[in-house]
Amino acid sequence: MEALCRPDKTHWCDGSEAEKDLLTREAVSTGEITILDQKKLPGCVYHRSDPQDVARTEDLTFICTRSKEDAGPTNHWMSPADAYGKLGEIFKDSMKGRTMYVVPFVMGPIGSPHAKIGVQITDSIYVVLNNRIMTRMGKAALESLGSSGEFTRCLHGKADLNPKRRFICHFPEDNTIWSVGSNYGGNALLGKKCLALRIGSYLGKKEGWLAEHMLILGIEDPAGKFHYVAAAFPSQCGKTNLAMLVPPAAFRGYKVWTVGDDIAWLRVGKDGTLRAVNPEAGFFGVAPGTNKTSNPNALATIQKNTIFTNVLLKPDKTVWWEGLEAPPAEGGINWRGEAWTPASKEKGAHPNSRFTAPAGQCPSISPHWEDPEGVPISAIIFGGRRASLAPLVYETLSWAHGTYVGATIASETTSAATGKTGVVRRDPMAMLPFCGYHMGDYFAHWLEMGDKIQRPPKIFHVDWFRTDEEGNYLWPGFGENLRVLLWMIGRVEGTAKARKTAIGYVPETGSLDLSGFSLRPGALETLFKVDRGAWLKEIESQNEFFDKIGDRLPQAMKREQSKLKERLERDGA
Ligand code: O2Y
Ligand code: MN
């Protein structure tokens, strides 16, 4: 890689505090980062990206398998030869005048049977400092690797940050990732979406486990009994908020513990349960909207040792974003690096601005978040984001039915995003942008996993985003979601009553604990109604997506769909 990129020097990262200080000083000297007020925000720094480099770029993200068919119809594909050739040209001499950093890292608790090792080469100090938080990085990772050759080879370079020369390429068959031309988030922190999900999902299929876009949380009841839940939601649906939920006043005896907010690696444990670990060591959370009501635990987490990216920099060297608190009267410098006041048209913080913070600093972090064997999962949740159709919550009938429900989850576009409202986008298991191989084979792998788990979790579907005709949310969300989680736990323990419908089990009237709480008149009925006509139309719409998957779609998916249709036609709701 040195011969290709021709850096002036190479630095092997050991992960020490001294190294962090050295790299921070270096990045401050070049303007790459700014030190924030160390009394108010100790250990915190600020970074602004190139304004054209502020989010993952799915159209520039490729799965480079030898056969195009193996990447499947939902991924962009490039042949490995073309990808190595094209990116090789961009990497050539790209680190002249720069330092090449070699970052060994572990995803998952060190020594855990779930853990995987990667080595990321990068010319970005910002990336090194982020990886230092998001992964277990440095000497410990190198020791963990020992003399084994088993690690994911990750090459990253900023090059000239030109979006026309930006490519994020995954070579699952070579256990390799090459990413060039971006210095932001999921494009550049290669342990995260690239390794932990795209390469991870491929390795999971090969080795018999699952890499999923899921948060993991624990619920402790007043008697000290624990249940763990893993939940998949499409991006930007509040996963971090749910993972750090604060119980409402009526449920103060309960505690919610955070294990992870974005990614879960799931394996069958020695005890026959499905065990989950969070492969990450930090949170790369979206800043706008994070405040002391929406997520007090996140706010407490980011008071120290945090990197803030693309938020507003205030003159007192603290930070602000839309939805944190009232706009600062004194203004500041916005995410584009321009002077900003509350009267400015441009936002102060970019909508995808982020904080990178160590998970261990979270007040709700689970005492078991680094258990090498992982935590036992009682329930899996698939979440859609749609204004109508699915009840607030329902329980699926079996693992195969749950897999079908996960495979068909969807979000609806809002007018702000596309100009069109209500366009349904399928996002199977919330993995559409993150599955490293053919989606049909991925569904088949889910079904196979079901046969291997002796004590499988129950699978549920939720939609927190149901609205009335005026577009008002029917369910308040946030901490109140605990009521729904507790109904699920009740189902797992056999104590919560349910009504069997064509689509699955919905809460029996009175079985969802609504104490100290009121909804709009009629909201509860709407939230639990199963509209037969709408479901029959939904089946038709699912077929468009299934047709796209083609002949690798497992028969069991179509079978589950036919069974649903039969139940709807036979029983109605
Ligand atoms: O835009 C980016 O690069 C970040 S996207 C992201 C970050 C943290 C967790 N999840 C996501 C996502 O897109 O799902
Ligand atoms: Mn995510």
Side-chain angles (χ1 to χ4, degrees), residues 141-196:
L142 213 49
E143 280 169 4
S144 209
L145 178 61
S147 57
S148 142
E150 239 191 86
F151 63 95
T152 306
R153 290 132 179 85
C154 307
L155 174 63
H156 167 254
K158 292 182 282 189
D160 55 6
L161 292 179
N162 180 348
K164 295 210 171 100
R165 287 150 51 81
R166 181 175 296 161
F167 296 97
I168 297 89
C169 288
H170 305 74
F171 305 87
E173 290 145 348
D174 301 343
N175 201 2
T176 293
I177 304 159
W178 281 19
S179 163
V180 71
S182 169
N183 196 32
Y184 191 79
N187 285 346
L189 311 178
L190 301 188
K192 192 171 177 59
K193 303 295 188 180
C194 300
L195 192 163

CSV table of all heavy atoms in Angstrom, one decimal, residues 141-196:
chain,number,residue,atom,x,y,z
A,141,ALA,N,-5.4,-4.5,19.6
A,141,ALA,CA,-5.9,-5.1,18.4
A,141,ALA,C,-4.8,-5.9,17.7
A,141,ALA,O,-5.0,-7.1,17.2
A,141,ALA,CB,-6.5,-4.1,17.5
A,142,LEU,N,-3.6,-5.3,17.7
A,142,LEU,CA,-2.5,-6.0,17.0
A,142,LEU,C,-2.1,-7.3,17.8
A,142,LEU,O,-1.9,-8.3,17.2
A,142,LEU,CB,-1.3,-5.1,17.0
A,142,LEU,CG,-0.3,-5.1,15.8
A,142,LEU,CD1,-1.1,-5.1,14.5
A,142,LEU,CD2,0.7,-4.0,15.9
A,143,GLU,N,-2.2,-7.2,19.1
A,143,GLU,CA,-1.9,-8.4,19.9
A,143,GLU,C,-2.9,-9.5,19.7
A,143,GLU,O,-2.7,-10.7,19.6
A,143,GLU,CB,-1.8,-8.0,21.4
A,143,GLU,CG,-0.5,-7.4,21.8
A,143,GLU,CD,-0.5,-6.7,23.1
A,143,GLU,OE1,-1.6,-6.9,23.9
A,143,GLU,OE2,0.5,-6.1,23.5
A,144,SER,N,-4.2,-9.0,19.5
A,144,SER,CA,-5.3,-10.0,19.3
A,144,SER,C,-5.1,-10.7,17.9
A,144,SER,O,-5.4,-11.9,17.8
A,144,SER,CB,-6.6,-9.1,19.2
A,144,SER,OG,-7.6,-9.8,19.6
A,145,LEU,N,-4.6,-9.9,17.0
A,145,LEU,CA,-4.3,-10.5,15.6
A,145,LEU,C,-3.2,-11.5,15.7
A,145,LEU,O,-3.3,-12.6,15.0
A,145,LEU,CB,-4.0,-9.4,14.7
A,145,LEU,CG,-3.7,-9.7,13.2
A,145,LEU,CD1,-4.9,-10.5,12.6
A,145,LEU,CD2,-3.4,-8.5,12.4
A,146,GLY,N,-2.2,-11.2,16.5
A,146,GLY,CA,-1.0,-12.1,16.6
A,146,GLY,C,-0.4,-12.4,15.2
A,146,GLY,O,-0.3,-11.4,14.4
A,147,SER,N,-0.1,-13.6,14.9
A,147,SER,CA,0.5,-13.9,13.6
A,147,SER,C,-0.5,-14.4,12.6
A,147,SER,O,-0.2,-14.8,11.5
A,147,SER,CB,1.7,-14.9,13.7
A,147,SER,OG,1.1,-16.0,14.3
A,148,SER,N,-1.8,-14.3,13.0
A,148,SER,CA,-2.8,-14.8,12.1
A,148,SER,C,-3.0,-13.8,10.9
A,148,SER,O,-2.9,-12.6,11.0
A,148,SER,CB,-4.1,-14.9,12.8
A,148,SER,OG,-5.2,-14.5,12.0
A,149,GLY,N,-3.3,-14.3,9.7
A,149,GLY,CA,-3.6,-13.5,8.6
A,149,GLY,C,-5.0,-13.1,8.4
A,149,GLY,O,-5.4,-12.6,7.4
A,150,GLU,N,-5.8,-13.5,9.5
A,150,GLU,CA,-7.3,-13.3,9.3
A,150,GLU,C,-7.7,-11.9,9.8
A,150,GLU,O,-8.0,-11.7,11.0
A,150,GLU,CB,-8.0,-14.4,10.1
A,150,GLU,CG,-8.8,-15.2,9.3
A,150,GLU,CD,-9.7,-16.1,10.1
A,150,GLU,OE1,-10.8,-15.7,10.5
A,150,GLU,OE2,-9.3,-17.2,10.4
A,151,PHE,N,-7.8,-11.0,8.8
A,151,PHE,CA,-8.3,-9.7,9.2
A,151,PHE,C,-8.9,-9.0,7.9
A,151,PHE,O,-8.5,-9.4,6.8
A,151,PHE,CB,-7.2,-8.8,9.8
A,151,PHE,CG,-6.0,-8.5,8.9
A,151,PHE,CD1,-6.0,-7.3,8.2
A,151,PHE,CD2,-5.0,-9.4,8.8
A,151,PHE,CE1,-4.9,-7.1,7.3
A,151,PHE,CE2,-3.9,-9.1,8.0
A,151,PHE,CZ,-3.9,-8.0,7.2
A,152,THR,N,-9.7,-8.0,8.1
A,152,THR,CA,-10.3,-7.3,6.9
A,152,THR,C,-9.3,-6.2,6.6
A,152,THR,O,-8.9,-5.4,7.4
A,152,THR,CB,-11.7,-6.7,7.3
A,152,THR,OG1,-12.5,-7.8,7.8
A,152,THR,CG2,-12.3,-6.1,6.0
A,153,ARG,N,-8.9,-6.2,5.3
A,153,ARG,CA,-7.9,-5.2,4.8
A,153,ARG,C,-8.7,-4.0,4.3
A,153,ARG,O,-9.5,-4.1,3.4
A,153,ARG,CB,-7.2,-5.8,3.6
A,153,ARG,CG,-6.2,-7.0,4.0
A,153,ARG,CD,-6.4,-8.2,3.1
A,153,ARG,NE,-5.4,-9.2,3.5
A,153,ARG,CZ,-5.7,-10.1,4.4
A,153,ARG,NH1,-6.8,-10.1,5.1
A,153,ARG,NH2,-4.8,-11.1,4.7
A,154,CYS,N,-8.5,-2.9,5.0
A,154,CYS,CA,-9.3,-1.7,4.8
A,154,CYS,C,-8.3,-0.6,4.3
A,154,CYS,O,-7.5,-0.1,5.1
A,154,CYS,CB,-10.0,-1.2,6.0
A,154,CYS,SG,-11.0,-2.5,6.9
A,155,LEU,N,-8.5,-0.1,3.1
A,155,LEU,CA,-7.6,1.0,2.6
A,155,LEU,C,-8.5,2.2,2.4
A,155,LEU,O,-9.5,2.1,1.7
A,155,LEU,CB,-7.0,0.6,1.3
A,155,LEU,CG,-6.2,1.7,0.5
A,155,LEU,CD1,-5.0,2.2,1.4
A,155,LEU,CD2,-5.7,1.2,-0.8
A,156,HIS,N,-8.1,3.3,3.0
A,156,HIS,CA,-8.9,4.5,2.9
A,156,HIS,C,-8.0,5.7,2.6
A,156,HIS,O,-7.0,5.8,3.2
A,156,HIS,CB,-9.7,4.8,4.2
A,156,HIS,CG,-10.3,6.2,4.2
A,156,HIS,ND1,-9.7,7.2,5.0
A,156,HIS,CD2,-11.3,6.7,3.5
A,156,HIS,CE1,-10.4,8.3,4.8
A,156,HIS,NE2,-11.4,8.1,3.9
A,157,GLY,N,-8.5,6.5,1.7
A,157,GLY,CA,-7.7,7.7,1.4
A,157,GLY,C,-8.7,8.9,1.0
A,157,GLY,O,-9.7,8.6,0.4
A,158,LYS,N,-8.3,10.1,1.4
A,158,LYS,CA,-9.1,11.2,1.1
A,158,LYS,C,-8.9,11.6,-0.4
A,158,LYS,O,-9.8,12.2,-1.0
A,158,LYS,CB,-8.6,12.4,1.9
A,158,LYS,CG,-8.9,12.3,3.4
A,158,LYS,CD,-8.5,13.6,4.2
A,158,LYS,CE,-7.0,13.6,4.4
A,158,LYS,NZ,-6.6,14.7,5.3
A,159,ALA,N,-7.8,11.3,-0.9
A,159,ALA,CA,-7.4,11.8,-2.3
A,159,ALA,C,-7.7,13.3,-2.4
A,159,ALA,O,-7.4,14.0,-1.5
A,159,ALA,CB,-8.1,11.0,-3.4
A,160,ASP,N,-8.5,13.7,-3.4
A,160,ASP,CA,-8.8,15.1,-3.4
A,160,ASP,C,-10.3,15.4,-3.0
A,160,ASP,O,-10.8,16.5,-3.3
A,160,ASP,CB,-8.5,15.7,-4.9
A,160,ASP,CG,-9.3,14.9,-5.9
A,160,ASP,OD1,-10.1,14.0,-5.6
A,160,ASP,OD2,-9.1,15.1,-7.1
A,161,LEU,N,-10.9,14.5,-2.4
A,161,LEU,CA,-12.3,14.6,-1.9
A,161,LEU,C,-13.3,15.0,-3.1
A,161,LEU,O,-14.4,15.5,-2.8
A,161,LEU,CB,-12.4,15.7,-0.8
A,161,LEU,CG,-11.8,15.3,0.5
A,161,LEU,CD1,-12.0,16.4,1.6
A,161,LEU,CD2,-12.4,14.0,1.1
A,162,ASN,N,-12.9,14.7,-4.3
A,162,ASN,CA,-13.8,15.0,-5.4
A,162,ASN,C,-14.9,14.0,-5.5
A,162,ASN,O,-14.6,12.8,-5.7
A,162,ASN,CB,-12.9,15.0,-6.7
A,162,ASN,CG,-13.7,15.4,-7.9
A,162,ASN,OD1,-14.9,15.4,-7.9
A,162,ASN,ND2,-13.0,15.6,-9.0
A,163,PRO,N,-16.2,14.4,-5.4
A,163,PRO,CA,-17.2,13.4,-5.5
A,163,PRO,C,-17.2,12.6,-6.8
A,163,PRO,O,-17.7,11.4,-6.8
A,163,PRO,CB,-18.5,14.2,-5.4
A,163,PRO,CG,-18.1,15.6,-4.9
A,163,PRO,CD,-16.7,15.8,-5.2
A,164,LYS,N,-16.6,13.1,-7.8
A,164,LYS,CA,-16.5,12.3,-9.1
A,164,LYS,C,-15.4,11.3,-9.0
A,164,LYS,O,-15.4,10.4,-9.9
A,164,LYS,CB,-16.2,13.3,-10.3
A,164,LYS,CG,-17.3,14.3,-10.5
A,164,LYS,CD,-17.3,14.7,-12.0
A,164,LYS,CE,-18.5,15.5,-12.2
A,164,LYS,NZ,-18.3,16.9,-12.3
A,165,ARG,N,-14.5,11.4,-8.0
A,165,ARG,CA,-13.5,10.4,-7.8
A,165,ARG,C,-13.7,9.7,-6.5
A,165,ARG,O,-12.7,9.5,-5.8
A,165,ARG,CB,-12.1,11.0,-8.0
A,165,ARG,CG,-11.8,11.4,-9.4
A,165,ARG,CD,-10.9,12.6,-9.5
A,165,ARG,NE,-9.7,12.5,-8.7
A,165,ARG,CZ,-8.6,11.8,-9.0
A,165,ARG,NH1,-8.5,11.2,-10.2
A,165,ARG,NH2,-7.5,11.9,-8.3
A,166,ARG,N,-14.9,9.5,-6.1
A,166,ARG,CA,-15.3,8.9,-4.8
A,166,ARG,C,-15.9,7.5,-5.0
A,166,ARG,O,-16.8,7.4,-5.8
A,166,ARG,CB,-16.3,9.8,-4.1
A,166,ARG,CG,-16.7,9.3,-2.7
A,166,ARG,CD,-17.6,10.4,-2.0
A,166,ARG,NE,-16.9,11.6,-1.8
A,166,ARG,CZ,-17.5,12.8,-1.6
A,166,ARG,NH1,-18.8,12.9,-1.5
A,166,ARG,NH2,-16.8,13.9,-1.4
A,167,PHE,N,-15.3,6.5,-4.4
A,167,PHE,CA,-15.8,5.1,-4.5
A,167,PHE,C,-15.6,4.4,-3.2
A,167,PHE,O,-14.6,4.5,-2.6
A,167,PHE,CB,-15.0,4.4,-5.6
A,167,PHE,CG,-15.2,5.0,-7.0
A,167,PHE,CD1,-14.2,5.8,-7.5
A,167,PHE,CD2,-16.3,4.6,-7.8
A,167,PHE,CE1,-14.4,6.4,-8.8
A,167,PHE,CE2,-16.5,5.2,-9.0
A,167,PHE,CZ,-15.5,6.1,-9.5
A,168,ILE,N,-16.7,3.7,-2.8
A,168,ILE,CA,-16.6,2.9,-1.6
A,168,ILE,C,-16.8,1.4,-2.1
A,168,ILE,O,-17.9,1.0,-2.4
A,168,ILE,CB,-17.6,3.3,-0.6
A,168,ILE,CG1,-17.3,4.8,-0.1
A,168,ILE,CG2,-17.6,2.4,0.7
A,168,ILE,CD1,-17.9,5.8,-0.9
A,169,CYS,N,-15.7,0.7,-2.2
A,169,CYS,CA,-15.8,-0.7,-2.8
A,169,CYS,C,-15.5,-1.8,-1.8
A,169,CYS,O,-14.6,-1.7,-1.0
A,169,CYS,CB,-14.8,-0.8,-4.0
A,169,CYS,SG,-15.3,0.2,-5.4
A,170,HIS,N,-16.4,-2.8,-1.8
A,170,HIS,CA,-16.2,-3.9,-0.9
A,170,HIS,C,-15.9,-5.2,-1.8
A,170,HIS,O,-16.6,-5.4,-2.8
A,170,HIS,CB,-17.6,-4.2,-0.2
A,170,HIS,CG,-18.0,-2.9,0.6
A,170,HIS,ND1,-18.6,-1.9,-0.1
A,170,HIS,CD2,-18.0,-2.6,1.9
A,170,HIS,CE1,-18.9,-0.9,0.8
A,170,HIS,NE2,-18.6,-1.4,2.0
A,171,PHE,N,-14.9,-5.9,-1.3
A,171,PHE,CA,-14.5,-7.1,-2.0
A,171,PHE,C,-14.7,-8.3,-1.0
A,171,PHE,O,-13.8,-8.7,-0.4
A,171,PHE,CB,-13.1,-7.0,-2.4
A,171,PHE,CG,-12.7,-5.8,-3.3
A,171,PHE,CD1,-12.4,-4.6,-2.7
A,171,PHE,CD2,-12.8,-5.9,-4.6
A,171,PHE,CE1,-12.1,-3.5,-3.4
A,171,PHE,CE2,-12.5,-4.8,-5.4
A,171,PHE,CZ,-12.2,-3.6,-4.8
A,172,PRO,N,-16.0,-8.7,-0.9
A,172,PRO,CA,-16.2,-9.8,0.2
A,172,PRO,C,-15.4,-11.0,0.0
A,172,PRO,O,-14.9,-11.6,1.0
A,172,PRO,CB,-17.7,-10.1,0.0
A,172,PRO,CG,-18.3,-9.1,-1.0
A,172,PRO,CD,-17.2,-8.4,-1.6
A,173,GLU,N,-15.1,-11.4,-1.3
A,173,GLU,CA,-14.4,-12.6,-1.5
A,173,GLU,C,-12.9,-12.5,-1.1
A,173,GLU,O,-12.2,-13.5,-0.9
A,173,GLU,CB,-14.5,-13.0,-3.0
A,173,GLU,CG,-15.9,-13.5,-3.3
A,173,GLU,CD,-16.4,-13.2,-4.7
A,173,GLU,OE1,-15.7,-12.3,-5.4
A,173,GLU,OE2,-17.4,-13.7,-5.1
A,174,ASP,N,-12.4,-11.2,-1.0
A,174,ASP,CA,-11.0,-11.0,-0.6
A,174,ASP,C,-11.0,-10.4,0.8
A,174,ASP,O,-9.9,-10.0,1.3
A,174,ASP,CB,-10.4,-9.9,-1.5
A,174,ASP,CG,-10.4,-10.3,-3.0
A,174,ASP,OD1,-10.6,-11.5,-3.2
A,174,ASP,OD2,-10.2,-9.4,-3.8
A,175,ASN,N,-12.1,-10.3,1.5
A,175,ASN,CA,-12.1,-9.7,2.9
A,175,ASN,C,-11.4,-8.3,2.8
A,175,ASN,O,-10.6,-8.0,3.7
A,175,ASN,CB,-11.5,-10.6,3.9
A,175,ASN,CG,-12.0,-10.3,5.3
A,175,ASN,OD1,-12.8,-9.4,5.5
A,175,ASN,ND2,-11.4,-11.0,6.3
A,176,THR,N,-11.8,-7.5,1.9
A,176,THR,CA,-11.1,-6.3,1.6
A,176,THR,C,-12.1,-5.1,1.3
A,176,THR,O,-13.2,-5.3,0.8
A,176,THR,CB,-10.2,-6.4,0.4
A,176,THR,OG1,-9.1,-7.4,0.8
A,176,THR,CG2,-9.6,-5.1,-0.1
A,177,ILE,N,-11.7,-3.9,1.8
A,177,ILE,CA,-12.5,-2.7,1.5
A,177,ILE,C,-11.6,-1.6,1.0
A,177,ILE,O,-10.5,-1.4,1.7
A,177,ILE,CB,-13.2,-2.2,2.8
A,177,ILE,CG1,-14.1,-3.3,3.5
A,177,ILE,CG2,-14.1,-0.9,2.5
A,177,ILE,CD1,-14.4,-3.1,4.9
A,178,TRP,N,-11.9,-1.0,-0.1
A,178,TRP,CA,-11.2,0.2,-0.5
A,178,TRP,C,-12.1,1.4,-0.6
A,178,TRP,O,-13.2,1.3,-1.3
A,178,TRP,CB,-10.5,0.0,-1.9
A,178,TRP,CG,-9.3,-0.9,-1.9
A,178,TRP,CD1,-8.8,-1.7,-0.9
A,178,TRP,CD2,-8.3,-0.9,-2.9
A,178,TRP,NE1,-7.6,-2.3,-1.2
A,178,TRP,CE2,-7.3,-1.8,-2.5
A,178,TRP,CE3,-8.1,-0.3,-4.2
A,178,TRP,CZ2,-6.2,-2.1,-3.2
A,178,TRP,CZ3,-7.0,-0.6,-4.9
A,178,TRP,CH2,-6.0,-1.5,-4.5
A,179,SER,N,-11.8,2.5,0.0
A,179,SER,CA,-12.7,3.6,0.0
A,179,SER,C,-11.8,4.9,-0.3
A,179,SER,O,-10.8,5.1,0.4
A,179,SER,CB,-13.4,3.8,1.4
A,179,SER,OG,-13.9,5.1,1.5
A,180,VAL,N,-12.2,5.6,-1.3
A,180,VAL,CA,-11.4,6.8,-1.7
A,180,VAL,C,-12.3,8.0,-2.0
A,180,VAL,O,-13.4,7.9,-2.5
A,180,VAL,CB,-10.5,6.4,-2.9
A,180,VAL,CG1,-11.3,6.3,-4.2
A,180,VAL,CG2,-9.4,7.4,-3.0
A,181,GLY,N,-11.8,9.2,-1.6
A,181,GLY,CA,-12.5,10.4,-2.0
A,181,GLY,C,-13.5,10.9,-1.0
A,181,GLY,O,-14.2,11.9,-1.3
A,182,SER,N,-13.6,10.3,0.1
A,182,SER,CA,-14.6,10.8,1.2
A,182,SER,C,-13.9,10.7,2.5
A,182,SER,O,-13.1,9.8,2.8
A,182,SER,CB,-15.9,10.0,1.2
A,182,SER,OG,-16.6,10.3,2.3
A,183,ASN,N,-14.2,11.7,3.4
A,183,ASN,CA,-13.6,11.7,4.7
A,183,ASN,C,-14.7,11.6,5.8
A,183,ASN,O,-14.5,12.0,6.9
A,183,ASN,CB,-12.7,12.9,4.9
A,183,ASN,CG,-11.8,12.9,6.1
A,183,ASN,OD1,-11.3,11.8,6.4
A,183,ASN,ND2,-11.5,14.0,6.7
A,184,TYR,N,-15.9,11.1,5.4
A,184,TYR,CA,-17.0,11.3,6.3
A,184,TYR,C,-17.7,9.9,6.7
A,184,TYR,O,-17.9,9.1,5.8
A,184,TYR,CB,-18.1,12.1,5.6
A,184,TYR,CG,-19.2,12.5,6.6
A,184,TYR,CD1,-19.0,13.5,7.5
A,184,TYR,CD2,-20.4,11.8,6.7
A,184,TYR,CE1,-20.0,13.8,8.5
A,184,TYR,CE2,-21.4,12.1,7.6
A,184,TYR,CZ,-21.1,13.1,8.5
A,184,TYR,OH,-22.1,13.4,9.4
A,185,GLY,N,-18.0,9.8,7.9
A,185,GLY,CA,-18.9,8.8,8.5
A,185,GLY,C,-18.7,7.4,7.9
A,185,GLY,O,-17.7,6.8,7.7
A,186,GLY,N,-19.9,6.9,7.4
A,186,GLY,CA,-20.0,5.6,6.9
A,186,GLY,C,-19.1,5.3,5.7
A,186,GLY,O,-18.7,4.1,5.4
A,187,ASN,N,-18.7,6.3,5.0
A,187,ASN,CA,-17.8,6.2,3.8
A,187,ASN,C,-16.4,6.0,4.2
A,187,ASN,O,-15.6,5.4,3.5
A,187,ASN,CB,-17.8,7.4,3.0
A,187,ASN,CG,-19.1,7.6,2.2
A,187,ASN,OD1,-19.9,6.6,2.0
A,187,ASN,ND2,-19.3,8.8,1.6
A,188,ALA,N,-16.0,6.5,5.4
A,188,ALA,CA,-14.6,6.6,5.8
A,188,ALA,C,-14.2,5.8,7.0
A,188,ALA,O,-13.1,5.3,7.2
A,188,ALA,CB,-14.2,8.0,6.0
A,189,LEU,N,-15.1,5.6,8.0
A,189,LEU,CA,-14.9,4.8,9.2
A,189,LEU,C,-15.2,3.4,8.8
A,189,LEU,O,-16.3,2.9,9.0
A,189,LEU,CB,-15.7,5.3,10.4
A,189,LEU,CG,-15.7,6.8,10.6
A,189,LEU,CD1,-16.7,7.2,11.7
A,189,LEU,CD2,-14.3,7.3,10.8
A,190,LEU,N,-14.2,2.7,8.3
A,190,LEU,CA,-14.5,1.5,7.5
A,190,LEU,C,-14.9,0.3,8.4
A,190,LEU,O,-15.5,-0.7,8.0
A,190,LEU,CB,-13.3,1.1,6.7
A,190,LEU,CG,-12.9,2.1,5.6
A,190,LEU,CD1,-11.9,1.6,4.7
A,190,LEU,CD2,-14.1,2.6,4.8
A,191,GLY,N,-14.7,0.4,9.8
A,191,GLY,CA,-15.2,-0.6,10.7
A,191,GLY,C,-16.7,-0.7,10.8
A,191,GLY,O,-17.3,-1.7,11.1
A,192,LYS,N,-17.3,0.5,10.5
A,192,LYS,CA,-18.7,0.6,10.8
A,192,LYS,C,-19.6,-0.1,9.7
A,192,LYS,O,-19.8,-1.3,9.8
A,192,LYS,CB,-19.1,2.1,11.0
A,192,LYS,CG,-20.4,2.3,11.6
A,192,LYS,CD,-20.7,3.8,11.9
A,192,LYS,CE,-22.1,4.0,12.4
A,192,LYS,NZ,-22.5,3.3,13.6
A,193,LYS,N,-20.2,0.7,8.8
A,193,LYS,CA,-21.1,0.1,7.8
A,193,LYS,C,-20.4,-0.9,6.9
A,193,LYS,O,-20.9,-1.9,6.5
A,193,LYS,CB,-21.8,1.2,7.0
A,193,LYS,CG,-22.5,2.2,7.9
A,193,LYS,CD,-23.7,1.6,8.6
A,193,LYS,CE,-24.5,2.7,9.3
A,193,LYS,NZ,-25.7,2.1,10.0
A,194,CYS,N,-19.1,-0.5,6.5
A,194,CYS,CA,-18.4,-1.4,5.5
A,194,CYS,C,-18.1,-2.7,6.1
A,194,CYS,O,-18.4,-3.8,5.5
A,194,CYS,CB,-17.2,-0.6,5.0
A,194,CYS,SG,-17.5,0.9,4.2
A,195,LEU,N,-17.4,-2.7,7.3
A,195,LEU,CA,-17.0,-4.0,7.8
A,195,LEU,C,-18.1,-4.7,8.6
A,195,LEU,O,-18.5,-5.8,8.4
A,195,LEU,CB,-15.7,-3.9,8.7
A,195,LEU,CG,-15.0,-5.2,9.1
A,195,LEU,CD1,-13.6,-4.9,9.6
A,195,LEU,CD2,-15.7,-6.0,10.1
A,196,ALA,N,-18.6,-3.9,9.6
A,196,ALA,CA,-19.6,-4.6,10.5
A,196,ALA,C,-20.9,-5.0,9.9
A,196,ALA,O,-21.5,-5.9,10.4
A,196,ALA,CB,-19.8,-3.6,11.7
